[in-house]
């Protein structure tokens, strides 16, 4: 009986463990910042626009490209790593020479401020389709 009363006292005391309701903690992932987008409010939108512009300005068809390749789709999955550099994770679809052309463009992305999570640098994943 003494143990039961002692346990009841501990559980009802202000030092007992309690559950706090209504508080949530969330982490916000921050996208990498493309050079020139540092002062823009919508940095993720700026990143997408600059990536699209980079691809348009640097894309060239490989010498091996033929009319049989028309309509081919290559998907490049890559990250902007913790140092702000692009790194290829996976390439799928299309002929190997089309894949190499797409990889070359992604690897020529300029170094940038890396993405972060809770203030720590973090690799951020992307996928870009190339339609030939």
């Amino acid at each position: 009986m003494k143990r039961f009363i002692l346990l009841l006292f501990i559980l009802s005391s202000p030092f007992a463990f309690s559950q706090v309701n209504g508080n949530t903690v969330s982490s916000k992932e921050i996208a990498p910042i493309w050079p020139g987008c540092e002062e823009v409010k919508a940095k993720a939108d700026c990143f997408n626009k600059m990536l699209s512009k980079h691809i348009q300005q640097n894309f060239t068809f490989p010498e091996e490209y033929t009319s049989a390749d028309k309509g081919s789709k290559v998907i490049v999955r890559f990250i902007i790593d913790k140092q702000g550099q692009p790194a290829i994770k996976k390439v799928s679809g299309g002929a190997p020479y089309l894949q190499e052309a797409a990889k070359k463009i992604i690897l020529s992305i300029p170094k940038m401020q890396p993405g972060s999570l809770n203030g720590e640098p973090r690799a951020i994943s992307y996928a870009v389709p190339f339609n030939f």
Side-chain angles (χ1 to χ4, degrees), residues 33-74:
I33 301 173
W34 195 284
C37 295
E38 296 86 0
E39 302 301 319
V40 177
K41 283 187 180 184
K43 290 175 178 51
D45 289 340
C46 186
F47 177 94
N48 291 334
K49 288 177 187 175
M50 295 301 281
L51 177 60
S52 179
K53 183 178 176 182
H54 173 79
I55 291 169
Q56 290 172 3
Q57 290 178 342
N58 295 290
F59 182 80
T60 56
F61 284 93
E63 290 179 19
E64 301 90 347
Y65 181 83
T66 66
S67 60
D69 295 315
K70 188 174 184 178
S72 295
K73 184 175 187 176
V74 173

Side-chain angles (χ1 to χ4, degrees), residues 3 11-12 26 33 61 67 70 80 111 115 125:
R3 287 184 184 157
L11 291 176
S12 64
S26 63
I33 301 173
F61 284 93
S67 60
K70 188 174 184 178
I80 301 298
K111 182 176 179 171
S125 299

Side-chain angles (χ1 to χ4, degrees), residues 4-52:
F4 177 73
I5 292 172
L6 181 60
L7 182 61
L8 186 61
F9 175 75
I10 290 172
L11 291 176
S12 64
S13 75
F15 300 107
F17 294 102
S18 62
Q19 184 178 0
V20 178
N21 293 320
N23 291 334
T24 58
V25 177
S26 63
S27 299
K28 186 173 182 185
E29 188 174 72
I30 308 290
I33 301 173
W34 195 284
C37 295
E38 296 86 0
E39 302 301 319
V40 177
K41 283 187 180 184
K43 290 175 178 51
D45 289 340
C46 186
F47 177 94
N48 291 334
K49 288 177 187 175
M50 295 301 281
L51 177 60
S52 179

